[in-house]
Amino acid sequence: MAAAVRIHKTGGPDVLTYEEIQLKDPGQGEVRIKHTAIGLNFIDTYFRTGLYPAPGGLPMILGNEGAGVVVATGPGVTEFKAGDRVAYGTTPGGGYSTERNIPAEKLVKLTDKVDDKSAAGMMLKGLTAQYLLRQTFKVTKGHMVLVHAAAGGVGLILCQWCKHLGATVIGTAGSEDKAKLAKANGADHTILYRSEDFAAKVGEITKGAKCDVVYDGVGKATFPASLDCLKPRGMFVSFGNASGSIEHPNVIQLLQGKGSLYATRPTLVNYAATKEALGSMAKDLMDVVGSGAVKIPVNHTYALKDAAKAHAELESRNTTGSTVLIP
Ligand code: NDP
């Protein structure tokens, strides 16, 4: 019998309920996988609280990232067979489960160089880093990059990968320990943005030149000061709202006033929109992870049934790097 963590109503971590579920046989184009590890992401909390609506209504099984083994295939599936090690990071829910059915086109095969926990900790976060620094704004040698929440799941991957590409990285962090961790993962400079004026600090560090790009998954708390960290015609990439959504009556005018800035609010689903795009992004990610240039720091592990505890820790800013749930 399969089991899953579901929500029947939106709310705090206590709405997460571990229960038995009935799984149908995999349908046309679907694969049944047995999870070995499941990734926890800040976006899971948005679905839990209702900030983002549950795509298929309630009850909903949270979780968009996981790794496991194929146990059965539905009609029309030719690329996968029982026993294949696979991972995914772009499904709208279904991940917090011992087993699940998933469209084959959302899966990638794992290479021997990537273990299951790392895969579960990187498919959503690492693919996000991939599109942010290889597509949204192409980071190259010489760029000055600001990464907010640099010790977080996406943050630590961004720091390492930007460094690998030859950029100079400034990372903000909520504590001294987190700042140290960001430095150990590629940040050249760190700023304690809960106590320091981070825009002023960026000015000091760059001797007034400022940054080519700001990667901001924090949202409300760092806006609009993030715009003051950019050179004229720099790129503001707002990719998340860990502190709440940005609400500003006239962002367009702000962009003009702060120096002909560019701004975008990208999401992974629009970048990994096709099987081909997902495949090439996953290859890029597996290459940097397989070569050791980017390591996936899985710093916290919980049993799947303890997902509520994991959510509370993530929201309390007590986690760093990736957290995985083990079924
Ligand atoms: P993190 O591990 O980065 O956790 C969030 C971090 O945000 C915290 O550790 C904390 O770091 C910081 N933070 C700042 N303010 C708050 C606050 N008020 N409450 C809680 N945390 C706060 O999470 P993820 O790596 O899972 O995700 C990072 C961001 O990326 C999220 O906003 C997420 O939604 C977004 N995202 C977007 C995607 C997209 O395609 N657009 C895809 C994947 C993720 P500190 O203590 O250092 O401040």
Side-chain angles (χ1 to χ4, degrees), residues 40-43 46 52 124-125 128 131-132 148-155 172-175 178 193-194 216-219 221-222 238-244 265-269 271 313-323:
L40 179 77
N41 286 280
F42 217 88
I43 194 173
Y46 305 152
Y52 290 0
L124 196 159
K125 292 175 267 287
T128 299
Y131 82 72
L132 289 175
H148 281 307
V154 177
T172 61
S175 70
K178 287 186 175 188
Y193 64 168
R194 293 178 87 167
D216 188 343
V218 171
T222 44
S238 170
F239 67 97
N241 13 269
S243 68
R265 189 6 179 140
T267 67
L268 178 58
V269 282
Y271 281 84
E313 288 297 296
L314 181 65
E315 286 174 300
S316 306
R317 307 169 81 155
N318 290 334
T319 64
T320 58
S322 298
T323 298

Side-chain angles (χ1 to χ4, degrees), residues 213-228:
V213 60
V214 173
Y215 292 116
D216 188 343
V218 171
K220 193 173 190 171
T222 44
F223 193 83
S226 285
L227 302 182
D228 294 322

